[in-house]
């Protein structure tokens, strides 16, 4: 848990955070430290640890997600982001289950809640199209997204005429969402025939069938061509502007910079930094987490390459050159060539 001062609790009115100034103002009182308290947290996570054999994939002490804004969860490969998503949505169990792990969504404890109950509570994640889903039509995929509504319940099937109206309603809702995501004319096509970007739109549309309060997107931009990127980003921002909370995992740092109101960073299973994107992406812990291993990682802004990092890279390059020169000199000594390798 952070030792940050708790900002005054503020109940955010739906839609109030469509205004960027309001969002900035709201988050300006929040300390940019891992585990900081938020004015109106929709998700609060405590002591979630997941070990695989002897390896700790996730070890998050405390994390709060602010309601009504876009939060990005970033971190290098293997940082534990997907495992963390799996844990809080009930698709996996923490090693600390029953031993201090606790998480609550919109005030409701989810520790022992199944994945479908988590979705019913209003926290819904997108899923990549599996082979089975690819063989279903776009509309069939949408109807699956509404599974917990009438029609799913076998008992109700006995009284079909009673809920047949609702089935029609669900279909209309699906059509409305498909129209919004420009997929309506594809509704009878196999989902597998969609482009990468259209699949992402379908994943989002399907998640919205259950009217979530928070949508969790796992790499929404992966495999999306530039033409659809802008449209996808616009859809994500529109959801936020309508009052939905968005939590997303993304590797594309340009995207993170562009749409995130807040960024949380994981490395080696832990939460290592938090804050507004411009602050976080200049944070030494973040730079170390990404650049420590991969100097060629694009963090979306050259400004991130601080003097310190540039100096470090320059030193490493100079050291490598010195080694190469040493090798060349050795070679010259044994073959009788000049330093430039010419006889
Ligand atoms: N089922 C599993 N069994 C064993 N190890 C696992 C399992 N799932 C994840 N891991 C390990 O846990 C660590 C965290 O993986 P995870 O996929 O959560 O990271 P990530 O941050 O989502 O990475 P990426 O950005 O590459 O998707 C990795 O070392 C991974 O190999």
């Amino acid at each position: 848990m952070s030792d940050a001062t708790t900002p005054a609790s503020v109940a955010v009115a739906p839609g109030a955070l469509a205004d960027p100034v309001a969002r900035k103002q709201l988050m300006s009182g929040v300390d940019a430290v891992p585990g900081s308290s938020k004015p109106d947290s929709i998700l609060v996570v405590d002591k979630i640890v997941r070990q695989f054999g002897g390896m700790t994939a996730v070890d998050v002490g405390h994390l709060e997600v602010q309601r009504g804004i876009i939060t990005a969860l970033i971190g290098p490969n293997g940082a534990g982001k997907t495992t963390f998503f799996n844990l809080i949505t009930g698709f996996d169990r923490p090693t600390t289950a029953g031993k201090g792990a606790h998480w609550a969504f919109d005030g409701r404890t989810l520790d022992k809640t199944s994945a479908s109950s988590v979705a019913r509570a209003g926290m819904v994640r997108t899923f990549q199209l599996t082979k089975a889903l690819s063989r279903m039509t776009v509309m069939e995929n949408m109807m699956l997204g509404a599974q917990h509504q009438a029609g799913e319940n076998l008992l109700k099937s006995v009284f079909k005429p009673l809920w047949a109206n609702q089935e029609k309603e669900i279909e209309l809702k699906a059509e409305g969402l498909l129209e919004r995501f420009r997929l309506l004319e594809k509704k009878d096509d196999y989902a597998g025939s969609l482009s990468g970007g259209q699949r992402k739109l379908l994943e989002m549309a399907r998640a919205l069938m259950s009217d979530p309060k928070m949508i969790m997107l796992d790499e929404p931009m992966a495999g999306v061509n530039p033409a659809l990127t802008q449209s996808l980003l616009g859809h994500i921002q529109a959801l936020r502007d309508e009052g939905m909370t968005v939590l997303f995992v993304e590797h594309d740092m340009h995207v993170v910079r562009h749409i995130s109101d807040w960024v949380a960073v994981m490395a080696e299973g832990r939460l290592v930094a938090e804050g507004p994107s411009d602050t976080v992406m200049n944070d030494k812990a973040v730079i170390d987490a990404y650049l420590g291993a991969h100097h060629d990682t694009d963090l979306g802004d050259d400004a991130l390459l601080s003097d310190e990092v540039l100096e470090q890279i320059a030193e490493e390059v100079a050291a490598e050159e010195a080694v190469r020169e040493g090798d060349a000199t050795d070679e010259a000594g044994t073959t009788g060539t000049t330093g430039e390798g010419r006889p």
Side-chain angles (χ1 to χ4, degrees):
M1 168 100 83
S2 91
D3 52 6
T5 44
T6 308
S9 183
V10 177
V12 177
L17 295 177
D19 175 8
V21 177
R23 290 197 299 277
K24 249 206 159 100
Q25 209 166 13
L26 179 76
M27 299 310 283
S28 65
V30 179
D31 286 337
V33 295
S36 60
S37 300
K38 308 296 182 304
D40 183 12
S41 306
I42 193 166
L43 175 70
V44 180
V45 173
D46 278 301
K47 296 196 183 107
I48 288 208
V49 177
R50 178 66 165 111
Q51 287 167 328
F52 294 109
M55 199 271 293
T56 303
V58 169
D59 184 356
V60 172
H62 185 77
L63 171 69
E64 296 186 16
V65 174
Q66 167 62 37
R67 184 190 308 273
I69 65 167
I70 301 177
T71 300
L73 181 60
I74 66 170
N77 292 329
K81 306 176 299 289
T82 302
T83 305
F84 181 70
F85 261 33
N86 290 343
L87 290 166
I88 59 175
T89 49
F91 286 89
D92 191 7
R93 288 275 157 223
T95 311
T96 43
K99 295 179 218 149
H102 176 75
W103 65 107
F105 178 75
D106 210 17
R108 178 176 162 185
T109 295
L110 295 180
D111 305 6
K112 291 181 186 145
T113 309
S114 67
S116 57
S117 303
V118 169
R120 267 196 287 274
M123 187 159 87
V124 170
R125 63 185 293 187
T126 54
F127 276 104
Q128 293 196 355
L129 274 183
T130 58
K131 256 194 186 145
L133 294 176
S134 302
R135 286 195 213 104
M136 293 166 68
T137 68
V138 167
M139 187 49 123
E140 285 164 350
N141 266 273
M142 292 296 283
M143 298 306 271
L144 272 186
Q147 270 216 333
H148 71 260
Q149 302 183 32
E152 162 202 39
N153 188 329
L154 267 183
L155 249 187
K156 280 190 183 144
S157 66
V158 179
F159 305 106
K160 183 163 174 156
L162 289 181
W163 59 264
N165 272 350
Q166 198 182 347
E167 197 176 47
K168 189 70 206 155
E169 260 171 43
I170 293 169
E171 209 174 312
L172 283 174
K173 180 175 179 178
E175 283 179 358
L177 282 168
L178 289 176
E179 191 166 18
R180 171 176 181 166
F181 287 90
R182 305 241 153 82
L183 289 172
L184 189 54
E185 60 190 42
K186 305 255 175 208
K187 74 175 182 157
D188 298 321
D189 292 4
Y190 285 112
S193 71
L194 300 179
S195 72
Q198 288 169 332
R199 285 170 188 226
K200 292 290 178 193
L201 289 170
L202 175 59
E203 287 164 21
M204 226 185 286
R206 189 176 53 201
L208 295 179
M209 282 298 287
S210 57
D211 297 318
K213 294 177 191 150
M214 180 165 98
I215 188 163
M216 299 167 64
L217 312 167
D218 199 351
E219 297 200 45
M221 298 301 152
V224 177
N225 70 35
L228 260 185
T229 301
Q230 206 53 40
S231 152
L232 257 163
L233 293 180
H235 282 299
I236 296 172
Q237 286 169 310
L239 293 175
R240 184 262 327 268
D241 293 349
E242 288 162 17
M244 201 175 292
T245 307
V246 179
L247 177 64
F248 79 114
V249 167
E250 183 56 60
H251 278 291
D252 185 327
M253 291 303 128
H254 295 279
V255 167
V256 171
R257 240 171 221 288
H258 189 63
I259 63 165
S260 312
D261 301 306
W262 194 259
V263 179
V265 189
M266 283 182 78
E268 295 175 357
R270 292 172 182 272
L271 189 64
V272 294
E274 260 196 74
S277 61
D278 46 351
T279 311
V280 159
M281 282 147 124
N282 287 309
D283 183 304
K284 182 158 182 333
V286 179
I287 294 168
D288 286 351
Y290 276 98
L291 300 185
H294 309 286
H295 278 166
D296 55 352
T297 302
D298 182 357
L299 284 182
D301 187 346
D302 289 345
L304 183 64
L305 295 175
S306 63
D307 289 346
E308 197 184 333
V309 172
L310 285 172
E311 256 170 47
Q312 191 192 332
I313 294 172
E315 274 169 24
E316 284 176 14
V317 169
E320 277 170 21
E321 270 171 10
V323 169
R324 267 202 301 274
E325 270 168 28
D327 288 344
T329 312
D330 285 345
E331 258 180 55
T334 51
T335 60
T337 58
T338 68
E340 285 166 38
R342 282 190 297 270

